[in-house]
Amino acid sequence: MPGRRQKRLLREAPALGGVVGRRPLQEASCSSPRRSSEAFYSARDGPPPLRLGAAYFDQPCTRLARALLGQVLVRKLPDGKELRGRIVETEAYLGGDDSASHSRGGRQTARNTAMFMMPGTLYVYQIYGIYFCMNVSSQGEGAAVLLRSLEPLQGLDAMRELRLAQRKGVTRPPKDWQLCNGPSKLCQALAIDKSFDQQDLASHPTVWLESSPGLPREEALICAPRVGISGEWAQKPLRFYILGNKCVSIRDKVAEGPAGAGLLHVPAEASSC
């Protein structure tokens, strides 16, 4: 049975998958990212984008997973070049009773320590012994948000070089929309490795989050089951992405259906998206 703390966290989880509302986001078709890369950032009017501070990350896990959509992740390379990508897909991992979470059952290990640190702490772990995935801790003990996909905005050539350098025997460069359309691809394209684990995204000098620039427009938000999850929590809609964005790793056509209602089920105490 879930404890009091986990019941509170579970209330964050959406009750049904599908289109869950609208919020102002930058247009993000990802059909031609170069239209808004270096030229976009150098020619944009007004002050530079706001770097998001510690208070931004101090919110419940699923709320943070949704709020991150549309925000811009920045990576400053050793040569001073800045890479930017708009977050278009996330997954929430609630810890505790969430059987898919690395911190399930409140288990804290040397590997997942970052999930129990202050909100905004990076949790970077390795899969298959070669690839990395990047998460951001939130409110809730052991809770964190996985960054699944970015729409590349700035430094696409550098991203492509970084991807090719880590793809053994591959000579065909990835297309623009393929640069960051998955959690491991994202880390490859931004040169994120284990050295970033337990670092503070709110104050780190070479990786940070900026408020989304440009004129926003209404964009649909989809919630769907997480990818590659099995067991009791397999069908809980804790993955969030921007409808129609080509850079999303995997579309869920069921969740994108006319209503998405009644197709995904979570416990009765969970609230809706």
Side-chain angles (χ1 to χ4, degrees), residues 53-84:
Y56 179 84
F57 304 102
D58 191 11
Q59 53 183 310
C61 190
T62 56
R63 189 185 304 169
L64 179 61
R66 296 191 295 265
L68 286 172
L69 294 176
Q71 307 292 13
V72 175
L73 185 65
V74 186
R75 169 76 165 99
K76 187 174 183 178
L77 299 178
D79 63 3
K81 180 176 293 184
E82 292 184 357
L83 313 179
R84 282 177 169 82

Side-chain angles (χ1 to χ4, degrees), residues 191-219:
I192 297 293
D193 58 22
K194 187 67 174 177
S195 67
F196 287 89
D197 185 49
Q198 299 186 28
Q199 299 300 306
D200 182 9
L201 189 56
S203 62
H204 200 277
T206 65
V207 61
W208 64 88
L209 200 67
E210 292 178 346
S211 57
S212 183
L215 297 176
R217 76 165 194 168
E218 290 292 316
E219 189 69 76

